[in-house]
Every structure is written in C-alpha cells, then in structure tokens.
C-alpha cells in the first residue's frame, strides 16, 4: 500500500508538472502567433489568439492544431490601392497544419465575421459622402454634397449595400466586392443632378484582397452598429513568415 501511495503521489505530481508545462507552452505559442499576425497585418489595434485542444504539446509535435480562434481589432485591409478599416474581425480556423518553422500555418477551413462601422465606411467611400444606418437590414443612408452651377446642394439617399461578383482578369468571377448603390436619387428637374449625386454616393470596395489568403466574403447585413460581414473559406493562411 505504501508503494502504491508513492506511485499515486508521483503520478499526480508529474501530471501537474505536465499540465503546467502544457499550459505555459500554449500561452507562449498564442503570444508568438499573435505577434506575427500583428506584424504581418500592421495592426494599430489588438490581436488575440486562442489555441484549443489538450494537450497542446502533442498537437505542436505533430504540427496539427484542432482549432485556433483569432480576434482582431482595428485591422486595415488593402485592395486595389485602397484601405478599409475593419473595427473587429473574429475567425475560427479548423484543422490547422503548422509550417515547418512554426511561423504560421494553413487551415483546412475557416469561418468568421467582421464589422465595419459607419465612420470607417464613410472613410472608405473616399468621396466626402457620409454614411449611416438606413433603417433596415442591408440599407445605409448616404449624404453627399454636389455643386450645380456654383450652388452647393446636399442630398441624402437610401442605398442598398450588397455583395456582388467581382470579375477576374479573364472576365470570370473573381470573388466578391461590397457595393453601395442608391435606390433612387431625387432629380428635382435639374439636368445631370442624379449623375453628380451618384458619383458621390455609389461605390464598390474589394475587401477580399486584404484578408488572409483563402478567406472570402459570403454574406453581409447592416444594423445600428455598422455593416456585418460573414467570412468563410478553405485552405486559409494563418500568419506565416
């Protein structure tokens, strides 16, 4: 019985040491991965990484992680020379195969969501127009000023915000772009007014070019907080050198 008691005590101690070492290792790995993502994306905000599954050390040795959750704030995605700020981006990466140097990896699949506030959407318009909630899902209110014969006119329109197919270089489908398009522009009998207003209120933005490789837009809606994007994809890059 004494020998058995000693064996049990040693087992408990070794188990506690292993658990402690495993938790330290996963915490260290999360911080390192967060730093790499922060540097790669050039983030001004914060980056949080959570690696799921126990034990972590066996996953690390096999270079296969069950699930990695990522939360970003203040991330800028750049496509076609234009930057758009995402207030938040949350993503869950499943079946992550780590690179040989553990600098990053590729997930079999990923899904998540992102938020663009109206202030950031206003900045993304790059036309001087101001955007706000349009009172219903998928609607935004756009206010812009135009000059007509030296007279400045301010107009507000309700626009739909949707995802549309972006053509690729060969004329096929090249992912999705975010489109803001006014449903109706009051002309008031002024020739050319609608065309001038639409120059200020209607625009497209390609966001996918700035997302992790393989992560794509699949849906969007809007509410008082801003525009919510749904993301998903396969063979998605996670950090990397």
């Amino acid at each position: 019985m004494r020998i058995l008691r000693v064996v049990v005590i040693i087992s408990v101690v070794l188990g506690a040491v292993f658990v402690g070492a495993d938790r330290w290792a996963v915490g260290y790995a999360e911080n390192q991965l967060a730093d790499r993502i922060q540097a790669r994306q050039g983030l001004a905000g914060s980056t949080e990484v959570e690696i799921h599954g126990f034990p972590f050390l066996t996953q690390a040795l096999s270079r296969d992680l069950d699930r990695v959750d990522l939360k970003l704030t203040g991330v800028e995605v750049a496509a076609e020379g234009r930057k758009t700020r995402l207030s938040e981006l949350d993503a869950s990466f499943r079946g992550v195969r780590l690179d040989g140097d553990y600098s990053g990896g590729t997930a079999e699949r990923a899904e998540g969501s992102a938020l663009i506030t109206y202030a950031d959407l206003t900045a993304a318009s790059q036309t001087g127009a101001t955007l706000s909630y349009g009172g219903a899902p998928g609607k935004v209110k756009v206010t812009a000023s135009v000059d007509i014969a030296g007279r400045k006119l301010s107009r507000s329109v309700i626009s739909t915000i949707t995802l549309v197919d972006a053509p690729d270089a060969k004329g096929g489908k090249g992912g999705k772009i975010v489109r803001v398009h006014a449903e109706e522009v009051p002309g008031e009998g002024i020739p050319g007014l609608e065309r001038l207003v639409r120059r200020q209120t209607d625009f497209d933005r390609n966001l996918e070019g700035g997302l992790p490789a393989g992560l794509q837009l699949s849906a969007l809606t809007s509410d008082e907080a801003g525009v919510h994007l749904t993301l998903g994809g396969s063979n998605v890059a996670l950090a990397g050198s």
Side-chain angles (χ1 to χ4, degrees):
M1 291 296 295
R2 183 177 180 182
I3 294 176
L4 180 60
R5 186 180 300 113
V6 171
V7 171
V8 171
I9 291 174
I10 292 175
S11 298
V12 171
V13 171
L14 291 177
V17 171
F18 175 77
V19 171
D22 190 81
R23 294 302 87 191
W24 178 88
V26 73
Y28 178 80
E30 288 171 344
N31 291 334
Q32 290 295 306
L33 186 54
D35 289 344
R36 287 186 178 277
I37 294 172
Q38 185 97 11
R40 183 181 182 185
Q41 295 290 138
L43 300 178
S46 64
T47 304
E48 298 178 16
V49 173
E50 183 177 2
I51 300 174
H52 294 263
F54 179 83
F56 164 72
L57 290 173
T58 57
Q59 294 185 77
L61 288 174
S62 65
R63 291 195 174 91
D64 287 311
L65 303 181
D66 294 334
R67 172 183 163 190
V68 178
D69 287 348
L70 174 65
K71 182 178 181 64
L72 305 177
T73 59
V75 57
E76 284 188 341
V77 293
E80 300 173 346
R82 295 169 174 168
K83 290 184 177 180
T84 302
R85 183 180 182 274
L86 305 181
S87 178
E88 299 175 5
L89 190 154
D90 295 276
S92 181
F93 299 81
R94 308 273 185 164
V96 178
R97 179 64 179 173
L98 296 175
D99 299 334
D101 59 358
Y102 292 92
S103 64
T106 302
E108 291 182 0
R109 64 189 187 282
E111 58 185 18
S113 62
L115 170 67
I116 307 178
T117 66
Y118 291 112
D120 290 327
L121 195 57
T122 294
S125 73
Q126 298 179 332
T127 64
T130 301
L131 288 89
S132 58
Y133 183 46
K139 305 294 183 183
V140 294
K141 180 180 179 181
V142 186
T143 301
S145 295
V146 295
D147 289 321
I148 296 290
R151 178 184 170 196
K152 186 172 290 292
L153 300 177
S154 179
R155 289 293 182 270
S156 293
V157 297
I158 298 299
S159 299
T160 57
I161 181 165
T162 56
L163 286 180
V164 298
D165 292 327
D168 62 16
K170 297 181 179 180
K173 293 182 180 180
K176 299 287 186 180
I177 59 175
V178 177
R179 171 166 293 171
V180 176
H181 181 76
E183 296 178 346
E184 183 180 356
V185 177
E188 298 180 353
I190 303 176
L193 178 61
E194 179 175 353
R195 176 176 53 83
L196 291 175
V197 171
R198 286 194 181 277
R199 282 183 181 177
Q200 303 296 317
T201 61
D202 293 4
F203 62 92
D204 294 343
R205 284 297 174 269
N206 183 345
L207 304 182
E208 290 186 343
L211 297 174
L215 199 59
Q216 299 175 328
L217 302 176
S218 60
L220 67 72
T221 189
S222 63
D223 60 16
E224 291 85 351
V227 177
H228 300 267
L229 306 171
T230 302
L231 314 170
S234 57
N235 297 321
V236 182
L238 179 62
S241 55

